[in-house]
Amino acid sequence: MSDKFYRVITHKSNEFEIFDGSETLTVKARGKLKRDGEILVGDFVTVEEKNGEMVIKTVKKRENSLIRPAVANIDAIVLVVATQPKIDYFLVDKMIINCKRMGIECIICLNKSDLSREIFDELTAQYKNEVSAIVAVSALNNEQSELYPYIKDKLVCFAGQSGVGKSTLTNSISGTDREVGKVSEKIGRGKNTTTSASIIITPSGLWIIDTPGFSMLDVFEEDYRTLAGYYDEYVSLADGCKFHPCTHTSEPDCKVKRAVESGLLNKDRYERYLKIFEEQKIAYKNAVRR
Ligand SMILES: Nc1nc2c(ncn2[C@@H]2O[C@H](COP(=O)(O)OP(=O)(O)OP(=O)(O)O)[C@@H](O)[C@H]2O)c(=O)[nH]1
Ligand SMILES: [Mg+2]
Ligand SMILES: [Zn+2]
């Protein structure tokens, strides 16, 4: 008989809530599985009885996973941004890179559009060719219909900086009442109100994940020379570069650099690319040395 699989819905330290389609159980992890990252929200797990309590026995091999937010086996990321707290474009770039590495669809969602839609054009200029969609919503006013076509029939994870309104938005979509924080007037940031990822199954059958905000994303330990492969616009021009492969950094006769100079490609995004490339190079060289 094959073991039955449960989906990890959420966890608090070593207590996991798991769901099999009708039933929810609270179980613990033991031994090696207790280590951070061994069991993620979104994982499929089997259970067994040990000393009179149900514990997680195995974790099914993942289709994909992210470190921040810490989730597994998701179909799409809705990357939530807002004008308040101020958008961090490096974070957006890195999130898109991480999604592409994992084969996860990415949607950019400008929330708080009741306050300002000013950055919508900027988001479009920078990311229109890199993500499935860029939509504007206002969770506060329950205006999020633009998002629905992209979150149907998927496990969708809401991610982004603290205070952008991920909980407000997932509450508004699901009719739940999870805790919402404030954006500090002093530091202009959210306060990490949400502390662990949770799958919410809405009355209409959507599967969405609210996650804790973050302000930093690490680069990954992968050869930095592959970085341009996660920029679709650069990939589409790379054939025209003199060198193959071309990292589009210091090589002569580079089509990408020419496209940046002529204004065909967004300059700010390219300048951040150069910085991420350097960061990636250092991380990679340190990893190789280890
Ligand atoms: N004006 C406006 N404010 C919003 C909107 N959505 C959320 N907010 C406010 O933004 C603040 C932060 O909202 P949260 O939902 O807690 O943000 P979060 O992204 O979940 O933050 P963390 O859990 O810390 O990561 C709250 O004061 C919300 O009321 C919106 O559409 N418009
Ligand atoms: Mg939250
Ligand atoms: Zn090039």
Side-chain angles (χ1 to χ4, degrees), residues 49-106:
E49 202 179 316
K50 274 259 163 88
N51 307 324
E53 64 175 7
M54 295 302 268
V55 298
I56 294 176
K57 184 174 151 194
T58 61
V59 181
K60 193 176 168 190
K61 190 175 179 302
R62 293 169 182 155
E63 295 271 321
N64 59 52
S65 65
L66 294 171
I67 295 167
R68 235 175 285 189
V71 291
N73 305 315
I74 60 168
D75 300 305
I77 283 275
V78 171
L79 181 55
V80 184
V81 297
T83 25
Q84 172 70 291
K86 194 170 180 293
I87 182 168
D88 179 343
Y89 285 102
F90 273 106
L91 220 54
V92 179
D93 291 344
K94 288 183 182 175
M95 195 73 229
I96 293 174
I97 293 166
N98 287 346
C99 284
K100 286 189 179 156
R101 287 184 72 225
M102 286 289 163
I104 299 168
E105 183 186 357
C106 186

Side-chain angles (χ1 to χ4, degrees), residues 166-168 179-181 193-194 210-213:
K166 298 175 297 298
S167 297
T168 312
E179 198 187 351
V180 160
T193 305
T194 307
D210 186 17
T211 66

Side-chain angles (χ1 to χ4, degrees), residues 76-80 105-109 147 151 156-160 169:
I77 283 275
V78 171
L79 181 55
V80 184
E105 183 186 357
C106 186
I107 296 121
I108 295 177
C109 176
L147 204 48
I151 65 176
V156 181
C157 176
F158 287 71
L169 191 52

Side-chain angles (χ1 to χ4, degrees), residues 237 254-267:
L237 292 175
C254 167
K255 190 88 185 263
V256 169
K257 266 192 281 180
R258 279 207 303 273
V260 173
E261 279 153 20
S262 72
L264 204 67
L265 284 179
N266 188 279
K267 187 158 182 269

